[in-house]
Amino acid sequence: MGYSSLLSLSLGLLLLFNCSFAHIEQVVNSQQQQRYQTQCQIQNLNALEPQRRIESEAGVTEIWDQNEEQLQCANVAVFRHTIQSRGLLVPSYNNAPELIYVVQGRGIHGALFPGCPETFQEESESRRWSGEQHQKVRHIREGDVIAWPAGVAHWIYNNGQSKLVLVALADVGNSENQLDRYFRKFVLGGSPQQEIQGASQSQSRRGRSQQGPKGNGVLSGFAEELLAQAFNIDTRLAKRLQQEEKRQRGIIIRAREDLPVLTPQSQEQEREYEEERERTRRNGVEETFCTMSLKHNINDPSRTDIYNPRGGRVTSINELNLPILRYLQLSAERGVLYRNAILAPHWNMNAHSVVYITRGSAKIQIVSENGDSVFDEEIREGQLVVVPQNYAVVKKANSERFEWVAFKTNERAQISQLAGSASVIRGLPLDVIKNLFDISREDAQRLKENRAEITIFAPESRSQRESQREREREREREREERQRQ
């Protein structure tokens, strides 16, 4: 009897401990994922273009004004790099997680995680040391989404013959950012402009001394002697590290010669390696940051999530197919629409969506909770617009091929559709629809079931439009006949 009571007590305490621990873990996870909240009292949205163009030695950086109301609503910063051949986007780190989309070109990139081993090694008899060692370097190409955690140093090099164009979003509202709500880039070398480092924002200028148009790298702030001791180098070399800003090369510098950086022999080999890693993930093997994949291509048609041969396709990337996004609390979507095709009206259930146009043009309408149209414009390549959480949006392609990439502020962003076979309207009972809109049961039936496609609606043919007009005329004649009776 005593043993049974003791066993019951032990099991009860164990259950209580596990429940308490689970609750604590849930609270901690909730706190970790909390975002800065902002006032999104938006009356009108506009298609945004970069407000600042900053020249570097081997490229250009264009920055959208972070003080724009819609960017502040989403708590993000957006910028675009155009890197010339043999251009190097210098190593730096940010105060917020960052997603990069490769719009055009190809190159290589590296991310330097603290504590991770140098897994690439080259033996060289001509050098004093046994060979060069560095952390993993990855190929990048058009359509890749690259994920960089806050505080992790990273760099990109254009080893191709044409320009490399990147559009980037920094999630300054992320819980990983413990500074203010402005993007800050901490550059290890080069001569960064203050606009890039965050000082261009009017609120960031307050209390700062005027240092001129050029900024400094992180190393320039240390005492020369202390820097020499820390690296075990002479003061001449330490001084050289701190004088880079005088050359005014910017943050995209030109390599003196093509960088012979150690990479896998071919992109095909790296693709096979990444596919093998995905199979390993599906088998339940956990990844560490040192081996975790940082990129995923969303241009590949074979990876499409939604496809309509007459309308286009949509591909999503989230924590399920790129697990590092779980830590960044971000995801992305790439879409292609053919002329006159429609992306079903929908809303983003749990995320803001920053939509950047990579090709063509489209008519986009965005509606607020009050039923007000806050955006009703044609948007074209190079522009962006923010779709706040829960605001309803619809897209219709005007050009032969309209393409976009959307960055979303949730690691598993979800949408809810208003029209289509998987929509809210489709799920409502007929009598609810009838009473909701004060329409006949027949009209409610058509509203509910006339659109059989899921997310991408193909344009109607001429015969379909004529048939639709004839049906409308017939229904009008029936209504008039009932009224006469």
Side-chain angles (χ1 to χ4, degrees):
M1 183 71 178
Y3 175 78
S4 177
S5 299
L6 181 60
L7 179 61
S8 299
L9 178 62
S10 300
L11 291 175
L13 290 173
L14 180 61
L15 179 61
L16 178 63
F17 172 78
N18 286 334
C19 291
S20 299
F21 182 78
H23 176 69
I24 292 172
E25 185 179 29
Q26 183 179 10
V27 171
V28 170
N29 289 338
S30 176
Q31 290 175 343
Q32 288 177 339
Q33 294 181 0
Q34 185 177 3
R35 291 178 52 81
Y36 288 125
Q37 299 296 312
T38 55
Q39 296 294 325
C40 291
Q41 303 297 330
I42 294 177
Q43 304 300 320
N44 188 49
L45 294 170
N46 299 297
L48 301 180
E49 297 185 359
Q51 295 299 305
R52 298 177 181 85
R53 177 183 172 90
I54 302 169
E55 301 279 349
S56 291
E57 181 183 56
V60 175
T61 299
E62 297 164 286
I63 304 175
W64 277 262
D65 185 0
Q66 198 182 332
N67 288 311
E68 282 283 353
E69 184 180 30
Q70 53 189 296
L71 292 180
Q72 289 215 332
C73 168
N75 259 324
V76 297
V78 185
F79 43 97
R80 182 170 60 210
H81 298 296
T82 301
I83 306 174
Q84 299 171 8
S85 180
R86 285 176 42 203
L88 173 66
L89 183 63
V90 299
S92 64
Y93 57 92
N94 309 328
N95 62 325
E98 183 177 343
L99 279 189
I100 299 275
Y101 178 74
V102 182
V103 178
Q104 176 183 338
R106 60 180 60 216
I108 56 178
H109 89 95
L112 310 173
F113 288 91
C116 294
E118 297 172 338
T119 55
F120 283 59
Q121 180 171 343
E122 176 188 18
E123 295 296 334
S124 176
E125 296 180 357
S126 63
R127 298 183 181 181
R128 173 182 172 185
W129 298 274
S130 60
E132 180 190 359
Q133 292 180 322
H134 56 75
Q135 289 189 16
K136 182 178 179 180
V137 175
R138 299 164 173 87
H139 288 285
I140 58 174
R141 59 191 173 99
E142 183 177 328
D144 277 344
V145 173
I146 310 166
W148 287 331
V152 171
H154 51 264
W155 55 273
I156 289 181
Y157 176 65
N158 182 358
N159 62 352
Q161 298 302 313
S162 58
K163 62 183 179 181
L164 176 62
V165 181
L166 315 166
V167 60
L169 176 139
D171 183 20
V172 294
N174 195 284
S175 59
E176 293 296 309
N177 175 21
Q178 300 294 304
L179 294 175
D180 51 33
R181 300 183 187 181
Y182 287 98
F183 172 72
R184 300 193 191 189
K185 180 177 283 292
F186 297 80
V187 176
L188 301 188
S191 49
Q193 297 87 344
Q194 287 187 346
E195 289 88 347
I196 294 173
Q197 291 170 309
S200 65
Q201 311 302 337
S202 59
Q203 294 183 13
S204 297
R205 282 177 177 161
R206 296 171 186 170
R208 289 174 181 250
S209 59
Q210 296 298 321
Q211 300 175 0
K214 295 293 179 179
N216 299 326
V218 171
L219 296 180
S220 63
F222 293 109
E224 181 181 306
E225 296 79 6
L226 188 56
L227 190 64
Q229 293 173 19
F231 282 96
N232 193 24
I233 56 177
D234 57 45
T235 54
R236 176 197 59 80
L237 180 54
K239 187 174 183 179
R240 175 68 176 176
L241 298 179
Q242 297 180 316
Q243 291 181 337
E244 178 63 27
E245 71 275 5
K246 294 182 179 179
R247 302 176 62 188
Q248 297 186 356
R249 302 169 73 189
I251 65 165
I252 306 174
I253 64 175
R254 190 179 307 281
R256 296 179 180 177
E257 56 187 24
D258 196 21
L259 297 183
V261 177
L262 285 172
T263 62
Q265 294 181 6
S266 70
Q267 288 191 337
E268 184 62 32
Q269 288 180 345
E270 184 170 8
R271 192 176 303 116
E272 292 175 356
Y273 173 73
E274 295 293 347
E275 291 174 355
E276 176 62 31
R277 289 164 55 76
E278 288 184 6
R279 287 192 292 272
T280 302
R281 282 200 297 271
R282 288 196 292 269
N283 288 333
V285 178
E286 291 293 328
E287 289 188 308
T288 66
F289 274 108
C290 297
T291 59
M292 185 172 284
S293 178
L294 301 180
K295 68 181 181 71
H296 186 90
N297 192 277
I298 54 176
N299 267 15
D300 188 347
S302 66
R303 293 177 173 176
T304 294
D305 299 310
I306 300 167
Y307 177 61
N308 184 328
R310 294 182 54 240
R313 66 180 188 267
V314 174
T315 307
S316 298
I317 177 175
N318 55 35
E319 64 171 355
L320 299 179
N321 46 18
L322 189 60
I324 195 170
L325 296 179
R326 181 183 313 132
Y327 304 98
L328 273 61
Q329 302 162 39
L330 294 170
S331 57
E333 165 195 280
R334 182 180 183 272
V336 177
L337 287 181
Y338 307 141
R339 181 183 291 276
N340 293 327
I342 296 174
L343 186 71
H346 65 276
W347 68 88
N348 292 280
M349 299 171 63
N350 55 356
H352 300 300
S353 180
V354 181
V355 182
Y356 175 81
I357 313 307
T358 59
R359 180 177 177 180
S361 63
K363 178 69 171 294
I364 295 182
Q365 293 183 332
I366 303 173
V367 178
S368 72
E369 75 277 14
N370 297 319
D372 297 327
S373 177
V374 295
F375 186 87
D376 185 2
E377 296 181 20
E378 181 180 68
I379 190 168
R380 64 181 186 275
E381 180 178 334
Q383 294 181 321
L384 68 80
V385 66
V386 174
V387 183
Q389 178 186 5
N390 296 148
Y391 280 46
V393 57
V394 64
K395 302 182 180 78
K396 181 178 180 180
N398 290 341
S399 56
E400 288 299 325
R401 189 179 176 95
F402 169 66
E403 302 180 13
W404 75 92
V405 60
F407 301 101
K408 302 192 177 186
T409 57
N410 190 292
E411 67 274 17
R412 199 183 292 194
Q414 296 176 286
I415 69 168
S416 184
Q417 293 181 202
L418 285 164
S421 62
S423 67
V424 170
I425 297 296
R426 186 64 174 264
L428 289 174
L430 276 178
D431 287 331
V432 172
I433 298 175
K434 173 185 172 182
N435 285 275
L436 176 63
F437 298 108
D438 193 20
I439 57 179
S440 69
R441 188 176 179 85
E442 291 75 16
D443 284 343
Q445 184 82 34
R446 284 188 285 269
L447 181 65
K448 179 182 172 76
E449 298 180 356
N450 266 15
R451 181 61 77 176
E453 297 154 300
I454 297 178
T455 301
I456 298 175
F457 303 157
E460 291 183 332
S461 64
R462 178 177 298 178
S463 61
Q464 288 175 320
R465 289 195 297 271
E466 291 175 353
S467 297
Q468 177 66 20
R469 293 193 190 100
E470 181 59 34
R471 288 194 296 269
E472 290 175 355
R473 285 193 291 267
E474 180 63 28
R475 287 195 292 270
E476 184 63 28
R477 285 194 294 267
E478 292 175 356
R479 281 194 291 270
E480 291 175 355
E481 183 64 27
R482 285 195 296 268
Q483 288 174 358
R484 285 195 295 269
Q485 293 176 354

